[in-house]
Amino acid sequence: MPRVELSAGGIDYQDTGGAGPVLVFTHGFPMNETQWRKVLPHLAGYRCVLPTLPLGGHRTPMRPDADLTQRGQAHILADFLDALDLTGVTLVVNDWGGPQFLVSEGRADRVARLVLVACEAFDNFPPPPARPLVALSALPGGVWLMMKLLGTRFFRHSEKTFGCVSLRGVPDEVLDGWFAPATGSAAIRRDLRKFAAGTPEAPVLLEWTAQLARFDRPALVVWAERDAMMPREHGPRLAELLPRGRLVEIADSSTLIPEDQPEELAGVLVEFLVDNGAKPVPAQP
């Protein structure tokens, strides 16, 4: 897997290559790029770039002094786009909502289109079902205990943990990949703890989110109809806030629409891209 060195540390990423328009996909906490494994096969003609951000599922620790707060993570994502010199990017977000803060931080110049898929928004950082885990991670030894619990089928598939993010259920082999880094590395657990503790209070989150009104480029909001994590009313609110926002709701899905409805999500995404000047480029023979 390719890797790029940033001031905060190294970021691994997947890159499908090709001459097509660039789509950058972010992931949730503590997940990695495999969150999008079912969607990528439906995006022929696009260059898909998937960084593994330091949200707890990353495989190599960041530098000890790295800023891994919500704001810091947004800057890491922006630094990643700079390092690869990616321009005209379609930024696709699911679960973790922090990439939207590229706008409030004044670092969205490389983003031509924004796609928010069932993600944290407004003051829903973290969503209520995730708050007990975040509180646990703040305690001494809490992240270690959380990872041990997530190693059990009962806990990881509970409707109070990862059992609520997908109606289909995330396969154990995928969850194993998400949880292995923090289970095996004290330094990764340190990074996870820094992120979990790095969310500002609600007034700050609302102030940052309000800055989306300045994003004057095409935006798509894709929301799940059966989501226990992201309030259904947040989808229409985001679409209304974004000057060029459009809302699509997808039935029979929870937060991880890429897991529950990958083909439908890919179809909605391609339609949005084509309508907004990002047509696929066929691979050369």
Side-chain angles (χ1 to χ4, degrees):
M1 180 176 286
R3 181 179 177 85
V4 62
E5 290 295 331
L6 309 178
S7 61
I11 297 293
D12 298 324
Y13 65 97
Q14 179 181 349
D15 187 346
T16 62
V22 178
L23 316 182
V24 174
F25 295 84
T26 65
H27 56 80
F29 161 82
M31 307 177 193
N32 63 28
E33 75 288 341
T34 60
Q35 183 173 331
W36 297 96
R37 72 196 184 285
K38 293 183 179 180
V39 175
L40 296 190
H42 304 288
L43 297 175
Y46 291 97
R47 178 186 174 189
C48 299
V49 180
L50 301 92
T52 303
L53 297 167
L55 305 181
H58 55 301
R59 301 168 183 89
T60 305
M62 305 303 283
R63 295 192 174 98
D65 62 348
D67 180 0
L68 303 183
T69 63
Q70 294 284 349
R71 172 176 272 161
Q73 296 277 1
H75 282 283
I76 288 171
L77 176 58
D79 289 346
F80 174 81
L81 300 181
D82 289 347
L84 270 61
D85 194 24
L86 301 177
T87 58
V89 162
T90 299
L91 181 59
V92 188
V93 177
N94 178 225
D95 188 68
W96 176 52
Q100 65 187 276
F101 301 142
L102 266 66
V103 178
S104 58
E105 292 299 302
R107 300 202 62 186
D109 53 302
R110 293 180 179 271
V111 180
R113 289 163 291 273
L114 180 62
V115 182
L116 301 177
V117 181
C119 63
E120 296 167 316
F122 303 103
D123 57 352
N124 191 42
F125 287 79
R131 290 174 190 171
L133 290 181
V134 172
L136 176 61
S137 69
L139 299 175
V143 176
W144 178 88
L145 176 58
M146 179 176 72
M147 301 318 299
K148 287 296 183 183
L149 291 170
L150 287 172
T152 67
R153 286 182 56 85
F154 173 78
F155 190 79
R156 65 168 51 177
H157 292 296
S158 166
E159 291 187 359
K160 296 184 180 298
T161 59
F162 285 79
C164 76
V165 296
S166 168
L167 301 184
R168 305 291 184 272
V170 182
D172 278 309
E173 59 268 24
V174 175
L175 293 174
D176 288 343
W178 293 353
F179 303 154
T183 300
S185 167
I188 298 289
R189 292 195 293 273
R190 173 206 66 202
D191 292 348
L192 188 158
R193 184 181 305 109
K194 288 169 68 174
F195 170 69
T199 300
E201 296 296 324
V204 176
L205 290 168
L206 293 171
E207 179 183 345
W208 290 355
T209 304
Q211 300 305 309
L212 288 176
R214 298 192 289 110
F215 188 80
D216 59 358
R217 282 145 271 171
L220 174 66
V221 178
V222 184
W223 227 246
E225 289 187 355
R226 297 175 59 187
D227 195 337
M229 299 280 280
M230 315 303 171
R232 188 169 180 181
E233 64 269 18
H234 280 188
R237 282 180 63 188
L238 282 170
E240 184 176 354
L241 178 61
L242 290 153
R244 298 177 63 182
R246 172 192 169 204
L247 173 67
V248 174
E249 289 191 333
I250 291 184
D252 198 25
S253 180
S254 189
T255 308
L256 295 187
I257 301 177
E259 191 73 34
D260 288 343
Q261 298 291 347
E263 291 187 38
E264 185 173 354
L265 175 59
V268 167
L269 177 57
V270 170
E271 180 182 5
F272 167 75
L273 292 167
V274 170
D275 287 348
N276 290 282
K279 296 181 179 179
V281 175
Q284 295 298 317

